[in-house]
Structure formats: structure tokens, C-alpha cells
């Protein structure tokens, strides 16, 4: 079974609740394409889960990628 992946770029907003994931701002990450629903997706980083919303498209050496902005972040879960 083959899963299609895609690269997305992360925008992490200011705010103390995002301090633990702030270093991910501007980074491109690879995700499964099937995990997007109506322009939204969630992404687990460490013990936190970000709810992301698609806000645009960016391009780098490897081609175009969707840009997602964090809309909310969960409390730590272990």
C-alpha cells in the first residue's frame, strides 16, 4: 500500500501557548496528503497537537508547497 505525501510550510503565531513549538515556524514538513480535510489538518509535534488551516502557497527549490497557520494548540499529552 502506498501513501501519497506532500510538503507543507508551517506558520506559528506569537503567543506564550506556542513557545514549545515556536522553532517550527517557517519549516517545511512532510505529511500524508490524505490528512487534510477542507483546508484543515492537525499535526502532532512533541506532546502538543496543532490545528492548522491552509493560508496560502509558497515555493522553494523543491517546488510549491501549501502554507498552514496554527489556529490552536492542545495542552501537553503524554
Amino acid at each position: 500500500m502506498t501513501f501519497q505525501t506532500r510538503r507543507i510550510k508551517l506558520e506559528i503565531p506569537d503567543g506564550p501557548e506556542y513557545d514549545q513549538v515556536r522553532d517550527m515556524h517557517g519549516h517545511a514538513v512532510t505529511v500524508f496528503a490524505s490528512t487534510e480535510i477542507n483546508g484543515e489538518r492537525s499535526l502532532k509535534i512533541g506532546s502538543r497537537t496543532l490545528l492548522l488551516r491552509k493560508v496560502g502557497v509558497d515555493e522553494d527549490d523543491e517546488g510549491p508547497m501549501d502554507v498552514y497557520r496554527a489556529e490552536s494548540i492542545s495542552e501537553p499529552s503524554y
Side-chain angles (χ1 to χ4, degrees), residues 6-9 36 54 56-58 64-68:
R6 68 183 323 145
R7 291 175 54 242
I8 66 170
K9 187 174 182 176
E36 178 183 330
K54 184 176 175 181
V57 177
D58 196 8
M65 67 184 129
D66 294 335
V67 178
Y68 284 81

Side-chain angles (χ1 to χ4, degrees), residues 10-77:
L10 299 175
E11 283 189 1
I12 307 296
D14 292 331
E17 66 272 26
Y18 295 99
D19 285 349
Q20 291 185 339
V21 296
R22 176 107 38 245
D23 60 340
M24 293 300 293
H25 179 76
H27 283 256
V29 296
T30 301
V31 297
F32 290 113
S34 63
T35 58
E36 178 183 330
I37 300 172
N38 296 325
E40 294 183 345
R41 64 172 65 242
S42 61
L43 180 66
K44 183 134 176 127
I45 299 177
S47 64
R48 304 283 186 123
T49 301
L50 296 172
L51 177 61
L52 304 170
R53 179 175 305 278
K54 184 176 175 181
V55 294
V57 177
D58 196 8
E59 193 162 337
D60 68 3
D61 312 3
E62 298 179 39
M65 67 184 129
D66 294 335
V67 178
Y68 284 81
R69 181 173 175 80
E71 295 285 312
S72 66
I73 188 168
S74 71
E75 291 297 319
S77 61

